[in-house]
Amino acid sequence: MKRKEGRVLAVDDNIDILTAIRLLLKQHVEFIHTTSNPEYVPGMMNKENYDIILLDMNFTKDVISGQEGFEWLKKILEIDPDVVVIFITAYGDVEKAVKAVKAGAVDFIIKPWQNEKLLTTISSALRLRKSRDEATQQRLKQQDLSATLDQPFHEFIGNSDEMKEVFNIIQKVALTDASVLILGENGTGKELVARALHRNSSRADDVFISVDLGAISETLFESELFGHVKGAFTDAKQDRPGRLEIASGGTLFLDEIGNLSLPLQAKLLTAIEKREVIRVGSNKPRSIDVRLICATNMPIHKMAKENRFRQDLLYRVNTVEIQLPPLRERLEDIKPLAEHFLESFSKKYKKNIKGVSAEAIKKLEQYSWPGNVRELQHALERTIIMSDSDFLRPNDFILSSQELNTEEIEFNNFNLEDVEQQIIRKVLSRHKGNITQAARELGLTRTSLYRRLEKYGL
């Protein structure tokens, strides 16, 4: 048996009207409460979460103007902005109906009503209430997520000059609607950048929709991005909006955009340029308003030169470009990141771990982190789960030996000065000439490294 849905309150000074409504609706809704005195409504609403309120437009003050009903409508919506209010009056006309809707009511029933008409109105009102509840829940989740993540960039942590520059760009670009292209290796935090841009934008109260283009097959691309209508293909059982349509008013994050084939790139470019989509199986264009943020770990500029990525699409998606450095190029961020993950996972797994030893941090800094920050996060989580001590030490971390920054170097001879020179060259090359990072990996001060560079003429 189908469960009855709908919590209804009917407010009318005519007892016979209330009786008729109660007898009709009790067969169709979860429950129906009634009152002939509108003064009781605030108290009843505080005790019960009503979906629909049927409100008489005229009480005792003014029999036909409906002004008293409008005053109560305002009070009701102040208590619960999402409740669906339907006016009831024996003196209905188009002018009052329009005024009622403008004031916040959703419909207008004229006494005496037809039962089928009233039931249809109630059914539509319940669907509206459900959609309002879902929208409110989504908004609250988004606000909760934003409150949790804004610290100021949550797990997007870094004290290095490279990361300070990234934070600076985010703050400058976020308040604009400029398209942003985020480049970086897997695990560097491209989606975190996209979310930071969204949370600090004028669209922060609207949706953030993330799409992994690398996980969408060519055959499903149009349906996923543009939507489809019922019957467009075998499994299209109903109309469905695409991600571009759902994200309208908010931010759309297209991850792994470099994976798109040239034909799909052309379709995406058309939608971006026209700011509209056409659902699969339809010929009706639908306007969209999205802030576009894209990301890839592929050499997209090189791909554009080789005609593997459309140059015109590249211009569209990278009004501003953000390059995320790999973790191995910002070793000074390993310590604050490790401490952050330690605090987070210690709470999650109820461990009383006080810190990470300096020796353990040094070990972490000597690892190449091919999986970047995501791999560091997983390493801390695994270590914390397995640890029985109150301090994390080097031996607690199990790192793949083949990934340690100790690649074998073929030495021409074993003269210590020649060996030292080759190692310095190798480390400098890996860090692209960054003296601070090279000195840290070599276990030297910057001054000591400069002295050796001068000694060997490097």
Side-chain angles (χ1 to χ4, degrees):
M1 184 177 177
K2 187 178 178 182
R3 178 176 172 272
K4 294 179 182 178
E5 293 183 345
R7 301 175 296 272
V8 182
L9 171 62
V11 189
D12 197 297
D13 58 0
N14 187 320
I15 300 298
D16 292 337
I17 291 290
L18 293 179
T19 301
I21 289 174
R22 185 171 59 252
L23 291 173
L24 174 64
L25 294 187
K26 71 177 185 178
Q27 308 169 56
H28 302 279
V29 300
E30 184 179 339
F31 63 73
I32 166 73
H33 291 169
T34 62
T35 180
S36 59
N37 187 347
E39 298 289 343
Y40 294 156
V41 169
M44 296 177 76
M45 290 183 69
N46 287 330
K47 290 180 182 178
E48 186 59 65
N49 183 29
Y50 293 104
D51 297 311
I52 301 169
I53 295 181
L54 299 170
L55 179 65
D56 189 12
M57 186 171 277
N58 304 296
F59 291 93
T60 54
K61 289 183 183 177
D62 186 343
V63 177
I64 63 171
S65 76
Q67 186 58 41
E68 196 173 5
F70 286 115
E71 290 172 4
W72 278 110
L73 171 66
K74 183 179 178 181
K75 292 176 183 177
I76 287 168
L77 294 180
E78 284 174 356
I79 297 170
D80 182 0
D82 289 338
V83 73
V84 177
V85 180
I86 299 171
F87 267 134
I88 308 175
T89 182
Y91 303 94
D93 56 31
V94 174
E95 185 179 343
K96 283 205 195 86
V98 172
K99 186 179 177 184
V101 172
K102 285 183 177 179
V106 300
D107 212 334
F108 192 92
I109 293 290
I110 302 173
K111 302 181 232 179
W113 60 78
Q114 295 178 342
N115 286 351
E116 287 301 318
K117 165 68 175 171
L118 179 57
L119 291 175
T120 300
T121 302
I122 293 292
S123 178
S124 298
L126 282 174
R127 288 196 298 272
L128 175 60
R129 172 65 182 205
K130 187 175 181 180
S131 68
R132 285 181 176 180
D133 285 344
E134 288 172 353
T136 299
Q137 286 299 316
Q138 182 65 33
R139 187 167 62 251
L140 291 173
K141 285 180 183 177
Q142 192 76 27
Q143 290 170 356
D144 270 355
L145 181 63
S146 295
T148 302
L149 296 180
D150 289 337
Q151 300 171 2
F153 296 113
H154 189 50
E155 292 174 5
F156 199 34
I157 290 168
N159 299 324
S160 62
D161 291 340
E162 293 88 347
M163 293 311 296
K164 287 176 182 176
E165 178 60 22
V166 170
F167 297 151
N168 183 44
I169 295 173
I170 290 173
Q171 288 172 337
K172 287 182 178 178
V173 176
L175 286 174
T176 74
D177 259 356
S179 297
V180 179
L181 177 63
I182 307 165
L183 303 178
E185 296 177 7
N186 284 333
T188 50
K190 296 187 288 295
E191 184 163 347
L192 286 176
V193 175
R195 289 185 180 278
L197 286 165
H198 174 72
R199 289 196 309 276
N200 290 278
S201 74
S202 59
R203 297 171 180 255
D205 290 335
D206 220 308
V207 294
F208 175 92
I209 302 295
S210 177
V211 183
D212 182 358
L213 295 177
I216 298 177
S217 67
E218 294 225 2
T219 53
L220 292 177
F221 174 83
E222 286 188 82
S223 174
E224 286 292 321
L225 267 291
F226 308 143
H228 61 252
V229 297
K230 182 179 179 181
F233 47 86
T234 305
D235 293 327
K237 307 293 186 188
Q238 58 187 11
D239 288 3
R240 180 185 167 194
R243 305 296 181 86
L244 279 159
E245 215 175 315
I246 294 170
S248 193
T251 302
L252 180 67
F253 174 53
L254 299 179
D255 199 6
E256 303 301 347
I257 193 171
N259 288 38
L260 285 183
S261 66
L262 287 169
L264 298 186
Q265 291 174 31
K267 291 175 180 178
L268 177 61
L269 177 63
T270 300
I272 295 171
E273 287 182 333
K274 291 186 175 181
R275 299 174 69 85
E276 65 183 29
V277 295
I278 298 177
R279 293 183 182 179
V280 177
S282 171
N283 57 10
K284 178 184 176 183
R286 297 169 183 268
S287 297
I288 55 170
D289 170 28
V290 297
R291 202 278 178 82
L292 191 64
I293 302 175
C294 300
T296 184
N297 61 358
M298 300 176 74
I300 200 162
H301 291 286
K302 181 182 178 185
M303 291 169 64
K305 287 180 181 178
E306 296 171 351
N307 295 319
R308 291 187 290 133
F309 195 89
R310 293 181 64 110
Q311 191 76 54
D312 45 4
L313 178 57
L314 184 56
Y315 288 143
R316 282 285 179 180
V317 301
N318 78 330
T319 305
V320 176
E321 193 172 291
I322 297 177
Q323 179 77 51
L324 285 182
L327 187 55
R328 63 183 174 276
E329 291 181 7
R330 52 184 185 104
L331 297 178
E332 57 264 56
D333 291 336
I334 287 179
K335 185 174 186 290
L337 280 165
E339 290 171 346
H340 169 77
F341 292 135
L342 173 64
E343 180 183 359
S344 175
F345 291 126
S346 292
K347 288 179 181 177
K348 179 177 180 180
Y349 297 111
K350 297 180 174 57
K351 294 289 189 85
N352 186 26
I353 301 175
K354 297 174 182 176
V356 186
S357 71
E359 294 81 7
I361 293 293
K362 187 172 183 180
K363 178 177 181 178
L364 296 179
E365 290 173 347
Q366 290 174 339
Y367 183 65
S368 65
W369 299 109
N372 292 293
V373 179
R374 187 183 296 133
E375 186 182 2
L376 176 63
Q377 178 181 357
H378 291 163
L380 263 294
E381 183 173 16
R382 180 177 62 244
T383 303
I384 288 164
I385 290 171
M386 301 303 294
S387 176
D388 293 320
S389 63
D390 59 357
F391 229 78
L392 299 183
R393 305 191 184 281
N395 289 340
D396 293 323
F397 291 91
I398 301 173
L399 304 175
S400 174
S401 59
Q402 65 194 30
E403 296 294 351
L404 285 170
N405 279 344
T406 54
E407 309 103 292
E408 291 186 8
I409 301 174
E410 291 186 9
F411 299 114
N412 298 324
N413 60 66
F414 293 97
N415 178 284
L416 287 179
E417 288 193 351
D418 289 344
V419 168
E420 184 178 57
Q421 185 174 337
Q422 282 184 260
I423 291 173
I424 291 173
R425 284 181 184 276
K426 182 74 174 177
V427 174
L428 275 173
S429 174
R430 180 162 58 233
H431 293 293
K432 299 179 181 178
N434 187 304
I435 299 296
T436 300
Q437 293 170 2
R440 187 189 297 269
E441 184 170 347
L442 290 165
L444 301 172
T445 64
R446 285 169 55 93
T447 304
S448 297
L449 180 54
Y450 274 124
R451 226 178 355 250
R452 283 168 171 77
L453 293 176
E454 188 176 348
K455 174 182 175 181
Y456 298 125
L458 298 176

